[in-house]
């Protein structure tokens, strides 16, 4: 018995930053960003708003959509790489803010692969009958990483002060990665599904030898002290990314994982109606379509509107495609993700006919 998606909800900060807004604070262009990544705009949370707040709102919206209450939730699984606090992470903050009661709340740290790992865990708990209703939430506020200095206030609409040369230079030095990310949260409610529907097969992988392809070097407890101004001055608190290598691995490993779950279930690529892949770059999505030899139209995309929201991309994409009417009963789709760790994998899913419970 596979777990099925009984509801979804999102929370996006209202402030939208366009590529032209970024071009006003660093040396970049709308043309470069759109042609290299597909991103047109991203939401950026106001200072003081953290990923736990967005995550809790998304959880409540997903329960509302499922017609359930906070008392129905047995387990919460929170995935983020940008928790409000280094410890204890977001799970307890989201549990408390959403008013879920003293249930088990897992915190998982698989970055762009986080939501997929959460889905697999939810499915396993439900299949083992250790939980009936599990909410998986991905939430991120990347804003704190952005080395934009005082220019962040221009992006948030809270200042019109001119951009200083120093802030312009620092922001430009980050342009290869900072233009790709956005803030937001989304949650899915998982419940026991009917036979031959819901999650049909999953595969998860980790290769830690690839961890340096994208990582945040500091702070960290391998250092003494674990956090220091020297680390910040050296920019070690910001992501270090080998974009090209990531790109090549993502295009190779996500289609491979999709083929694995199809084979496990006994289906073929030709049976797929939809692919919901982690939204890191439109060219990666096009690469997935090419590798699988499917119509690019079945590889859904909303990266233009949100950028890469790390752990939130898959539930955001589910929410949008479902609400666009692209997931009618019977739809066979594959979730897939690849990200920092490296962690990657896929989940095969069939949308059930309306479930009554
Ligand atoms: C990051 C990424 C968009 C870069 O695209 P790319 O086509 O490989 O671009 P390159 O890194 O080769 O850069 C090409 C040029 O554009 C410049 N450039 C980089 N960012 C720029 C920006 N925002 N605006 C303008 N120019 C930029 C570079 O400096 C480089 O200039 P040069 O040729 O004079 O040195 C792409 O590699 C990618 O998306 N990788 C995967 C990233 C990812 O998945 N990250 C999250 C992990 S889950």
């Amino acid at each position: 018995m596979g777990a099925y998606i009984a509801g979804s909800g999102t929370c996006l900060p209202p402030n939208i930053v366009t590529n032209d807004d970024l071009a006003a604070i660093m040396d970049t262009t709308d043309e470069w960003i759109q042609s290299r990544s597909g991103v047109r705009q991203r939401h950026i949370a106001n200072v003081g708003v953290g990923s736990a707040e967005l995550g809790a709102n998304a959880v409540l919206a997903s329960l509302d959509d499922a017609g359930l209450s906070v008392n129905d939730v047995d387990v919460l699984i929170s995935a983020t790489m940008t928790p409000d606090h280094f410890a204890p992470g977001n799970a307890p903050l989201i549990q408390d803010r959403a008013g879920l009661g003293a249930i088990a709340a897992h915190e998982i740290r698989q970055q762009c692969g986080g939501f997929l790992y959460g889905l697999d865990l939810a499915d396993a708990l439900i299949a083992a009958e250790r939980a009936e209703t599990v909410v998986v939430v991905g939430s991120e506020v990347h804003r704190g990483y952005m080395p934009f200095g005082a220019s962040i206030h221009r992006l948030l609409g809270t200042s019109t002060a001119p951009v200083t040369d120093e802030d312009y230079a620092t922001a430009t030095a980050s342009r290869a990665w900072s233009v790709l990310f956005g803030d937001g949260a989304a949650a899915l409610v998982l419940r026991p599904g009917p036979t031959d529907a819901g999650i049909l097969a999953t595969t998860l992988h980790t290769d830690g030898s690839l961890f340096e392809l994208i990582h945040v070097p500091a702070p960290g407890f391998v250092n003494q002290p674990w956090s220091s101004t020297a680390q910040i001055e050296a920019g070690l608190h910001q992501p270090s990314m080998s974009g090209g290598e990531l790109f090549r691995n993502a295009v190779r490993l996500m289609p491979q994982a999709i083929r694995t779950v199809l084979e496990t279930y006994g289906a073929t690529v030709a049976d797929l109606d939809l692919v919901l892949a982690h939204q890191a770059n439109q060219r990666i999505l096009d690469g997935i379509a090419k590798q699988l030899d499917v119509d690019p139209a079945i590889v859904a995309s909303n990266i233009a509107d949100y950028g890469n929201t790390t752990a939130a991309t898959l539930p955001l994409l589910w929410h949008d495609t479902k609400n666009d009417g692209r997931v009618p009963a019977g739809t066979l789709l594959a979730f897939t993700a690849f990200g920092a760790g490296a962690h990657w994998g896929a989940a095969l899913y069939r949308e059930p006919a309306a479930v009554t419970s």
Side-chain angles (χ1 to χ4, degrees):
M1 179 170 55
Y4 87 101
I5 299 166
S8 63
T10 68
C11 180
L12 292 155
N15 185 58
I16 290 175
V17 172
T18 65
N19 293 342
D20 284 336
D21 294 332
L22 288 182
I25 68 153
M26 69 170 78
D27 183 11
T28 192
T29 60
D30 175 49
E31 197 282 322
W32 192 97
I33 300 172
Q34 281 212 50
S35 63
R36 298 298 178 111
S37 73
V39 181
R40 269 200 318 254
Q41 62 175 44
R42 72 286 295 142
H43 293 244
I44 302 284
N46 282 328
V47 175
V49 174
S51 52
E53 179 177 331
L54 303 184
N57 291 340
V59 166
L60 292 174
S62 69
L63 288 170
D64 197 42
D65 186 47
L68 296 171
S69 90
V70 290
N71 301 323
D72 294 313
V73 182
D74 300 312
V75 175
L76 172 74
I77 301 171
S78 156
T80 185
M81 68 171 251
T82 54
D84 285 14
H85 306 289
F86 188 91
N90 270 2
L93 307 190
I94 293 176
Q95 171 273 332
D96 182 46
R97 274 178 183 271
L100 297 180
I103 58 165
H106 297 264
E107 174 82 356
I108 58 173
R109 293 284 303 272
Q110 269 84 6
Q111 296 67 241
C112 298
F115 199 86
L116 194 69
Y117 269 68
L119 263 190
D120 180 70
L121 176 56
D123 183 49
L125 289 168
I126 289 170
E129 297 185 13
R130 293 185 59 187
E132 202 171 49
T133 302
V134 181
V135 181
V136 189
V137 58
S139 46
E140 306 286 358
V141 169
H142 296 104
R143 183 206 61 244
Y145 279 143
M146 302 303 174
F148 299 161
S151 301
I152 192 73
H153 299 292
R154 281 181 70 99
L155 300 181
L156 295 170
T158 47
S159 167
T160 51
V163 178
T164 66
D165 290 347
E166 191 188 343
D167 283 349
Y168 191 86
T170 317
T172 299
S174 75
R175 68 183 181 175
W177 59 268
S178 61
V179 302
L180 303 174
F181 292 92
D183 299 342
L188 302 185
V189 180
L190 278 296
R191 303 258 301 156
T195 310
D196 204 28
I199 296 175
L200 305 169
T202 60
T203 185
L204 297 179
H205 302 275
T206 296
D207 182 353
S209 71
L210 299 177
F211 96 93
E212 284 180 331
L213 289 187
I214 180 166
H215 72 303
V216 182
F221 290 95
V222 71
N223 303 305
Q224 187 58 38
W226 78 289
S227 164
S228 68
T229 47
Q231 291 167 352
I232 291 174
E233 277 160 15
L236 299 178
H237 61 304
Q238 283 149 5
S240 154
M241 184 176 97
S242 307
E245 268 299 289
L246 274 173
F247 194 101
R248 281 185 284 282
N249 278 289
V251 168
R252 184 171 62 87
L253 294 169
M254 283 191 278
Q256 208 175 83
I258 290 175
R259 287 186 191 279
T260 300
V261 289
L262 283 167
E263 200 178 307
T264 305
Y265 179 63
T268 70
V269 168
D271 298 318
L272 274 179
D273 299 307
L274 199 58
V275 174
L276 300 184
H278 173 56
Q279 306 283 293
N281 188 318
Q282 183 58 47
R283 291 187 298 140
I284 293 178
L285 301 178
D286 296 341
I288 291 172
K290 202 167 164 203
Q291 286 282 330
L292 290 175
D293 195 18
V294 296
D295 178 354
I298 76 161
V299 182
S301 175
N302 60 8
I303 193 170
D305 295 333
Y306 310 122
N308 181 351
T309 56
T310 304
T313 65
L314 288 186
L316 262 178
L317 191 60
W318 164 273
H319 185 83
D320 285 358
T321 49
K322 177 80 181 154
N323 286 330
D324 286 348
R326 291 186 67 187
V327 195
T331 299
L332 185 69
L333 65 88
F335 288 100
T336 186
F338 174 88
H343 300 289
W344 72 96
L348 191 66
Y349 181 87
R350 191 185 301 282
E351 177 69 347
V355 178
T356 45
S357 54

